[in-house]
Amino acid sequence: MSFEIGRRRLLAAGGAAAVAVGAGACTASSSRSGGAKKSAEVELPTYKALDGLAPDLKGNEKGLHNVFLKAPEKLLRTTEKKPITSGTISALTQTFATPPPPMKSNPFWKNLNSELGGTLDMQVVIDSYPDKFATILASGDLPDLMWVPPNQGIPNIGPMLESQFTDLTEYLSGDAVLEWKNLAALTPSSWRTAVVNGKIWGAPIPSTPFGQVYLGNPEVWKEVGGFQSNDADEFLEKCKDVSIKGKRWALEPFLPNAFHMFGEWFGVPTGYRVNEDRTLTASQQTDEYLETLEYAQKVFKAGVFYPDLNLAESSQYFANGTIGAIVSVGPRGASEYRHYNKDLLADILIPFPADADRTQVYDMGYGTVGFTPLKKTDDEKKIRELLDLINYLSAPFGTEEYMTVNWGREGQEYEVEDGNYVLTKDGETNVPGLQSALQIMAAGEGVVYNPIADDSEYIYAQEKKLLEHASQSPIKGLYSDTASSKGTELSTRLNDVRDDVIQGRKTIDDFTKALKAWEDGGGKKILEEYAEVLPADVPVTKDPKKK
């Protein structure tokens, strides 16, 4: 089983934030400072794939993952020296798994420190990361490394980086990055998220470039000819047919995710629509959004959602067939439910047109979970030491360093069984929480790897189909002052009304009034600020009702 569950949970939160209208990415500077233009002009690090890594199925720059059908027989070594030379490096990060045992009683952590040549002293946050981040920032006593997430509401990113962190452009831009093999193997798309005010502030932490997908339990949907549908009406009819009152429900109860899935079928733009005159229209201002809202009302009224909207056991209920479909952060999640049901490989739904007169879209994800900058210093020796460390931690699957960081020691934390990696009992205790925290701070480009090769081949094939309908947000990497200061509050109010409309507690007219309040309260300003820094190469959005 792939060890990316912690990061996927983070991205689930990020996916919800992306659906929340007006929420801006925190990876460029204010529209008034001209930072977006500077960022567009910066020379990104030269991309150079590692020699010697040979996936069984090759990915591409559009997002298709490299696939390894079994554990590599020989691991590649990518570093020549132990990176920590000063004794101790401090860091702030977060885990989305069970917190790890502390360093003094964690053999996996101790071995990692031994391989690193010193002590990686990480403060691992398990609750509100933005609150902890803000507290430490205000104290002035910063650790050497601090993870900066893209969708957790940290304000004033540009000024904060300029005053508290180290500009790494001269070390990482262009061919300079080739000094660090693993950093050079990060794609240009990933690096764009670490560029702010025309400067490179840290190494990005790649995640799946794919967005959310609907997963179906095949045992539930085989009764109606399978999970895939031809149009929205057929999907609803299938949902009704598989639902059994009081015993089984077609869909998990998290309405924002379901609405997002429905919106793809109706052609709702990915966040914003770019108009012919280079202005922007937010997704919730479109006719397609209102059509999706009316459809979601019908689905809810049909009683096919599990009735407890706060259900905590969605994964288990999906695995045992109580719930027929669940939204995953990306297609790689199709194999994760074998943890609950060893026979379950979930069906990945490919977006279909809501009706015969329109074109569906598939919303791609952000592609990273942020970046990790260095505490402000002009000590070149210290900067290089920290970059050596990040380079080590960014080693990709198939390398010795990756195994040290993500699995530990063969015979101690993991074994190789039938050509696959399996955690030992000690590994299950000591690895997941720390591994999650490490991957939040630094990582190589993701791959698809599962103990069952057929799972990987299926996910790879479905990724190809999803890419045929791929759509990227036009504001990816842009910044709006108003979105930063008001976006979350504005979008939360509007989305609360949307969810009430879906449940029949409010009307479409109520949503229209709430949309007007969003526009007048800052939404129009957000659109203007994003349009002001919209790069010229971002294309006009296609009309989904024109084939």
Side-chain angles (χ1 to χ4, degrees), residues 6-194:
R7 289 167 63 200
R8 285 183 180 141
R9 285 180 183 158
L10 163 72
L11 288 163
V19 176
V21 294
C26 67
T27 53
S29 74
S30 162
S31 59
R32 289 195 291 271
S33 71
K37 185 175 187 298
K38 294 177 184 176
S39 295
E41 294 173 351
V42 71
E43 184 180 8
L44 293 175
T46 299
Y47 173 68
K48 188 175 189 302
L50 287 172
D51 294 329
L53 287 182
D56 296 291
L57 301 173
K58 190 171 178 56
N60 61 36
E61 291 188 6
K62 293 182 179 180
L64 186 66
H65 284 104
N66 285 327
V67 174
F68 289 82
L69 298 177
K70 60 181 179 179
E73 293 183 3
K74 184 177 181 180
L75 297 172
L76 186 68
R77 184 76 187 179
T78 64
T79 59
E80 298 176 356
K81 61 182 180 180
K82 295 185 177 184
I84 298 180
T85 56
S86 61
T88 299
I89 298 296
S90 57
L92 180 72
T93 184
Q94 185 170 17
T95 187
F96 292 85
T98 302
M103 181 167 55
K104 63 181 180 181
S105 58
N106 190 331
F108 171 57
W109 199 335
K110 288 180 179 179
N111 177 67
L112 174 63
N113 284 338
S114 176
E115 293 297 319
L116 294 177
T119 300
L120 177 55
D121 185 10
M122 294 189 296
Q123 184 173 357
V124 181
V125 179
I126 59 174
D127 42 27
S128 176
Y129 187 83
D131 290 345
K132 188 65 176 180
F133 187 98
T135 299
I136 290 179
L137 202 64
S139 75
D141 185 18
L142 275 61
D144 297 306
L145 303 167
M146 288 178 73
W147 170 56
V148 175
N151 286 317
Q152 292 198 33
I154 294 175
N156 303 314
I157 294 291
M160 177 198 72
L161 290 170
E162 295 281 1
S163 64
Q164 301 292 332
F165 296 94
T166 302
D167 174 9
L168 297 174
T169 309
E170 68 174 289
Y171 296 93
L172 298 174
S173 179
D175 288 349
V177 77
L178 297 178
E179 183 176 339
W180 295 279
K181 292 182 180 179
N182 295 322
L183 298 186
L186 299 175
T187 65
S189 177
S190 293
W191 277 107
R192 292 183 197 284
T193 64

Side-chain angles (χ1 to χ4, degrees), residues 279-298:
T279 60
L280 292 173
T281 299
S283 62
Q284 71 274 15
Q285 294 176 301
T286 64
D287 291 340
E288 290 77 21
Y289 193 96
L290 291 180
E291 291 171 324
T292 303
L293 192 51
E294 291 174 346
Y295 176 76
Q297 277 185 316
K298 290 198 307 183

Side-chain angles (χ1 to χ4, degrees), residues 220-237:
V220 173
W221 299 92
K222 70 180 181 180
E223 302 172 12
V224 292
F227 189 39
Q228 191 66 41
S229 300
N230 293 310
D231 56 43
D233 287 340
E234 181 184 356
F235 181 81
L236 178 53
E237 289 306 310

